[in-house]
């Protein structure tokens, strides 16, 4: 499986910075023969701009969220159909910041993932425990329950991706050790194997303070198939360097 290096730009950058970053990524990738697939998830208002810049390049675009609804009177929401129309191929659903800031439950995440799939998008379904849950020895139980509740019935190998993002590692500079991350990824794969065939073909990304200096140790683990990268995706240099850690 080709590793996926996904950038989650969150609510950062202005339009000129977003354009610059997209251009720098395209230029940087021209110089190498990438061993990974690259994806960037800009804020909604810049999707069109970034999609235009990356059109003829190997860098794919995705969004950071989508609506559970098809269309209609849902002020402020953005539908999966609109994202597909803008050229997105992926959408992040259930990021811990959305679970916390917007009270998104596993059931909402499941509906969003199903809606994304219905429009040909690959949902990146995020799961991960908090620090206190890990300290209490509940990490696997919490992640297992999130998988159970957040993965739609329509899921099969190839039409969704999981991102394991321990909440305590997101934006904090603390990273799970490669061994701890690998143990959770193996747990996730075993869990998926119980519900669908060819679980070895399901991408499981690690997210949480992945940086150029820790990427190699994480990405060489057998069950870590790429990264979901926040802070380090905001400069082309660090984002591409993470991808280069793969070969
Ligand atoms: P971080 O964010 O790399 O800044 O920790 C990762 C994420 O939240 O997807």
């Amino acid at each position: 499986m080709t590793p996926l290096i996904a950038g989650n730009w969150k609510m950062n950058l202005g339009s000129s910075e977003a354009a610059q970053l997209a251009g720098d990524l395209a230029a940087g990738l021209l110089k190498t023969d990438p061993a990974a697939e690259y994806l960037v998830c800009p804020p909604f208002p810049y999707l069109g701009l970034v999609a235009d810049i990356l059109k003829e390049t190997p860098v794919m675009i995705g969004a950071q969220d989508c609506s559970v609804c098809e269309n209609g009177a849902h002020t402020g929401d953005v539908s999966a159909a609109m994202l597909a129309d803008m050229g997105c191929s992926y959408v992040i659903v259930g990021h811990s910041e959305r679970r916390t800031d917007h009270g998104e439950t596993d059931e909402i995440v499941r509906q969003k993932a199903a809606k994304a799939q219905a429009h040909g998008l690959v949902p990146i379904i995020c799961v991960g425990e908090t620090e206190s849950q890990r300290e209490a020895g509940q990490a696997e139980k919490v992640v297992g329950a999130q998988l159970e509740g957040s993965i739609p019935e329509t899921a099969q190998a190839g039409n969704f991706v999981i991102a394991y993002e321990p909440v305590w590692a997101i934006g904090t500079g603390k990273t799970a050790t490669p061994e701890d991350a690998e143990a959770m990824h193996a747990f996730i794969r075993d869990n998926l194997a119980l519900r669908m065939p060819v679980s070895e073909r399901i991408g499981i990304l690690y997210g949480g303070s992945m940086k150029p200096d820790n990427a190699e140790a994480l990405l060489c683990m057998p069950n870590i198939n790429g990264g979901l990268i926040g802070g380090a995706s905001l400069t082309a240099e660090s984002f591409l360097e993470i991808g280069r850690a793969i070969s």
Side-chain angles (χ1 to χ4, degrees):
M1 179 181 349
T2 311
L4 177 64
I5 300 299
N8 175 7
W9 293 2
K10 307 193 179 182
M11 199 170 70
N12 291 301
L13 309 175
S15 58
S16 57
E17 294 159 316
Q20 175 82 42
L21 176 52
D24 289 350
L25 287 172
L29 277 175
L30 272 182
K31 293 189 214 131
T32 51
D33 185 16
E37 292 195 307
Y38 288 88
L39 166 73
V40 293
C41 300
F44 288 137
Y46 307 145
L47 280 175
L49 172 76
V50 172
D52 274 352
I53 295 168
L54 296 176
K55 200 159 32 188
E56 306 288 326
T57 79
V59 186
M60 299 176 288
I61 67 158
Q64 300 173 19
D65 181 43
C66 69
S67 173
V68 295
C69 300
E70 186 62 27
N71 56 23
H74 304 286
T75 303
D77 284 350
V78 175
S79 73
M82 291 170 182
L83 299 178
D85 190 28
M86 294 306 288
C88 290
S89 37
Y90 287 81
V91 58
I92 300 169
V93 293
H95 189 281
S96 69
E97 286 150 15
R98 294 210 58 89
R99 290 178 185 261
T100 305
D101 295 354
H102 300 278
E104 288 190 7
T105 60
D106 290 336
E107 173 55 22
I108 291 172
V109 176
R110 190 183 64 74
Q111 289 178 25
K112 289 185 172 190
K115 199 51 95 178
Q117 288 177 336
H119 290 279
L121 300 169
V122 175
I124 299 176
I125 302 172
C126 300
V127 296
E129 80 286 356
T130 63
E131 189 153 37
S132 59
Q133 288 166 334
R134 175 158 281 262
E135 278 165 4
Q138 303 284 302
E140 289 190 354
K141 188 167 163 239
V142 168
V143 169
Q146 288 173 334
L147 293 171
E148 180 68 37
S150 308
I151 298 177
E153 302 260 293
T154 42
Q156 49 179 284
N159 75 1
F160 76 109
V161 168
I162 297 290
Y164 168 57
E165 300 206 303
V167 177
W168 47 271
I170 295 176
T172 58
K174 291 193 217 169
T175 322
T177 63
E179 293 73 25
D180 284 351
E182 169 60 19
M184 183 59 89
H185 281 235
F187 167 79
I188 292 170
R189 198 173 306 284
D190 287 348
N191 182 294
L192 296 173
L194 296 176
R195 64 182 85 204
M196 61 188 78
V198 289
S199 66
E200 66 280 2
R201 282 185 35 226
I202 298 168
I204 308 176
L205 313 181
Y206 171 81
S209 298
M210 188 181 271
K211 308 267 184 258
D213 61 0
N214 60 27
E216 190 174 353
L218 288 158
L219 293 170
C220 73
M221 289 291 165
N223 285 294
I224 299 184
N225 311 118
L228 182 56
I229 298 134
S233 72
L234 296 175
T235 68
E237 203 179 85
S238 54
F239 189 57
L240 294 176
E241 206 177 321
I242 290 175
R244 284 194 288 267
I246 281 166
S247 43

